[in-house]
Amino acid sequence: MSAGGFWVGAPVPRKEDEALLTGHARFIDDMEPVPGIRHAALLRSPHAHAEIRSVDLTRAAAHPGVHGVLSGADIAAAIGPIPSAVRVPIDYYPMAVGKVRYAGEPVALIAAEDRYVAEDALELIEVDYRPLPPVIDPKAAMDDDAALLHEAVGSNVVHHREFRYGDPETAFAEADRIVRLDWTFPRYSSTPMETCGAIAQFEPAPDRYTIWSNFQGPFILHALMCGALRVPGNRLRLITAPQSGGSFGIKQGMYPYMVLLAAASRLLGVPLKWIEDRLEHLVGSSSASNREDAVEAAFRSDGTLTGLRFRNTVDVGAYIRAPEPASVYRMHSASNGAYRVRNIAVDNRLVTTNRLPIGLNRGYGGPQFFFALERAMDAGARALGIDIAEIRRRNFVPADAFPYRAPAGALYDAGDYEAALDRTLDLAGYAALCAERDRAKADGWLFGIGLATAIEPSGSNMAYVTLAQTPEERARAGGRSGGLGTCTISIDPSGSVTVKTVSTPAGQGHATVAAQVAADALGLTPDDIDVVTEIDTLTSAWSLASGNYANRFSSVVVDAIGNAARTVAEKIRMIAAEDLEVAAEDVELADGTARVVGVPEKSLPFRRVAAKAHWHPAGLPEGMAPGIFETAVLSPPGLGPPDEQDRVASAVTFGFICDLAAVEIDPGTGRIEIGTYVSVHDVGKVLNPLIVEGQIVGGFAHGIAGALMEEMVYDEDGNPLSGSFADYLCITAPEMPRLTIGHVDTPSPHTALGAKGMGDGCSMLAPVAIANAVADALGREDVEPPFTLNRVWDLVAGGGGAG
Amino acid sequence: MLRIAPGTRHRISVTVNGRPHAGFAEARTLLSDFLRHELKLFGTHVGCEHGVCGACTVNIDGRAVRSCLRFAVQVDGAEIRTVEGLAEGGALSPLQEAFRRRHALQCGFCTAGILISATQFLETSPNPTEAEVRDMLSGHICRCTGYEGMVRAILDVAGETP
Ligand code: FES
Ligand code: FES
């Protein structure tokens, strides 16, 4: 317990760990929920872009042990296309129909007695492809003569909108200095260690589908799956596995596969299991987007940032899959970052290419957005001869300005950015570091320092995605807003407490934090409380925003847990008050008892009081409902729909992060040595310091990996070159730089406990902090991640940074 | 040399965590699949099936081995230790305890293989440096933790806090 006598805030070791450490935790591939399961394998396209002339399944179907075979056309005849958030004439099916649009796209499905036999039969499928010109470069995809992925759209640009806040034209016309940068942001993925997996069962009379999976939500996608399967929501039952082996957003992208398995189960008359293998994962699952972006920043000579122009070109891959185009809108309403600048123009284009469709990935849009803004700040500082810390200090939203309404609508809840910057500089020994850098440079060494800051939006307003529509289109479509959190707490007749959250964790320790929150409200210990984190859409209380994304656990779900726990506590106090013959206000719950405040010997065991709600309804206070089963549905305040000027309060809380990196580059090898990396966070009230630190270090690993090594590479024909873990180089222990973490936490007024969302963290900043340091070291601003040996070596040698 | 015709199944007997186990495997059945789907020992996880991630690591006759790179028929008669066998008598081993204390796991999917490797590593290198621990861990991929907690946990058990 923490010093103040609360579980919340204490470094409580995790409830989840014992089962995981002893091999008793269960994941999707460990499950056999129904008898008679057959195993599915998918034939995937070897071509990036090709017409499918014919698919011959006869030999595969005749293979011993094969139960059934299906082509894309079979699937398309049985279901509708998966609906999209963008209104373009694209019929997206989970298996290719008529044409393949990326290497790795599913073309046929085999169901067999086991996976080995299913894969044998894949080799017997004969597909006649007519290759088409591949479209790999998103810039070239926009050319008039580019081959089209979706002929009916008439262009590879599937979304384009321009936005304007304040008066950017005047800001740029009157600027003393304008910084312009453009770059390619690489495509990478957090590749969870457990791949996607699902078991789907169709049952007739009446038709219903059940899918067990490690899907992470958001459950707004449930509605899209129902749309494709043409059933009402109560006939598509989604059940999540007890544990999920990491997700980082990626397991959002599996919903087309869930639809595919559901439809195939129906067509083949058996329950079907499919566990994605790693090779499939790397070519056919999901990833963050690669982008061709540009930024212009207008400065006054004193370093005041007066205007920003963003030009974003997002490569969405072969299909625009919901919730896209959200990746480019998640940060939109906070386009000013941590700064006071109010004149902002944004131009967003989404382009289809013959690559894997994109989706959520840790930081979702953040790494790309902050790359633009924070590169501009360091480059601006250098252009104006101002220190990189000082230029930020001069532009920060000041500590006394919160709550602060950003020009594009975000409402920043709380922060002290300058204090966090100071803490960062302090931890880094900034003055000494600068002196070291200057000495090193004078001696001809390549040494650089980079800074970066981010605000961390958490607890999404689901309506931000509708920025993709014009105000008129939104008006026609009807209102959308908010992002509900739900939690159910029950006490059974033995008096034991169960908390059910619908947050689909994949390793973030939600069960532990939920137990801490409930324990404080009920006067129990976290060990007394059982937490169920599996979702069953048929039996759990849930809503569109259920799931695990955009740091929504501590910014939204925790308050729903607190609300449900307080309602339960109130009921327990009222029951106890009658037996103790005092007023309910005079009863406190502590140490596993309900007792009279100030008279601790007048007490009753918690379990006995709670059990009474079941065993003795006639003895309950007048008018009280029997049983204890409380569901809290929380709608965070202030999350309205976008207004006519395209402003929207996009999230509940806004954390803050300040990262500083100092690097030395070996000119002989191109190797970057990260000598210093400091990251200071404002996460509001810290709910569990162990878990917060774990999230920060984990996010840092993803950010560093994106900065230095990880990239999903396609050759010019669209062949994925990073199709195994021998080619897609995940960061390992020796490559991790030492990270120094600091905190300047300002409690959020938007949440009951003062917590803010966190978890994206350094995944958003490490790429730009390292890029800024590399730019400083090399004395040139045209630097692009990933900073692999080859690319850095080429930059050092005066080349363009080609790998 | 043992010869098994394709498509036929062979009876494999092994000792796992001190208990006799037997099941059937084809010549091509991976040890990882045999342990998980034939013996129903689901504690061993599969992250890549091509020998890179280390999630599937088990101890065979005293050596940490990637079970996705072995066929079940190769281990007939072997003594195997999996993550299920690390908590002797139901009490977490010092290393498991340290993992919990140091928050060395998040999703826990990589953890089984890392525990097996680290347990064997500490048997042969009882006083490793941090660099040696990191080097040992380089044979494993963890996507959640950034490795920091597990480095500290292993050093804790080695009696050498950083
Ligand atoms: S599953 Fe065996 S090394 Fe990855
Ligand atoms: S704890 Fe999730 S991969 Fe290591």
Side-chain angles (χ1 to χ4, degrees), chain A residues 95-119:
Chain A
M95 271 206 309
V97 182
K99 182 169 157 173
V100 289
R101 294 182 175 87
Y102 64 97
E105 182 167 10
V107 172
L109 177 148
I110 306 272
E113 62 184 35
D114 67 28
R115 178 67 175 251
Y116 289 77
V117 174
E119 290 186 17

Side-chain angles (χ1 to χ4, degrees), chain A residues 13-14 17-18 20-24 26-27 29-30 32 114 116-117 120 189-195 244-246 248 273 277-279 362 506-507 690-691 693-695 697-698 701-702 710 724-726 728 730-734 736 738, chain B residues 26 28-30 33 36-37 40 42-43 45-50 52-53 55 83-84 86-87 90 92 96-97 99-103 105-112 115 130 134-135 137-138 140-148 151-152:
Chain A
R14 300 196 321 163
D17 287 354
E18 192 167 341
L20 293 164
L21 285 164
T22 55
H24 294 110
R26 287 293 161 260
F27 296 82
D29 190 31
D30 310 340
E32 205 179 297
D114 67 28
Y116 289 77
V117 174
D120 289 342
S189 162
S190 299
T191 63
M193 283 312 301
E194 181 201 32
T195 57
S244 174
F248 319 109
K273 179 175 188 174
D277 70 26
R278 182 58 63 187
L279 309 178
R362 198 168 197 167
L690 265 186
I691 292 177
E693 183 175 326
Q695 287 299 309
V697 181
H702 285 161
E710 293 183 16
S724 81
F725 269 166
Y728 187 86
C730 297
I731 194 161
T732 63
M736 284 293 298
R738 194 164 293 284
Chain B
E26 289 182 49
R28 63 180 177 173
T29 304
L30 300 178
D33 283 338
R36 291 176 45 75
H37 297 298
K40 309 288 179 195
F42 292 116
H45 295 153
V46 168
C48 71
E49 283 184 305
H50 51 265
V52 179
C53 76
V83 67
E84 287 96 338
L86 293 179
L92 295 185
Q96 287 170 314
E97 270 299 349
F99 265 56
R100 182 171 145 89
R101 191 172 61 246
R102 290 295 200 170
H103 190 27
L105 64 155
Q106 290 183 23
C107 78
F109 199 78
C110 66
T111 309
L115 286 171
E130 178 174 338
R134 287 184 182 271
D135 194 48
L137 287 173
S138 72
H140 291 269
I141 299 175
C142 172
R143 292 306 261 171
C144 297
T145 64
Y147 307 99
E148 194 59 35
V151 171
R152 287 189 221 164

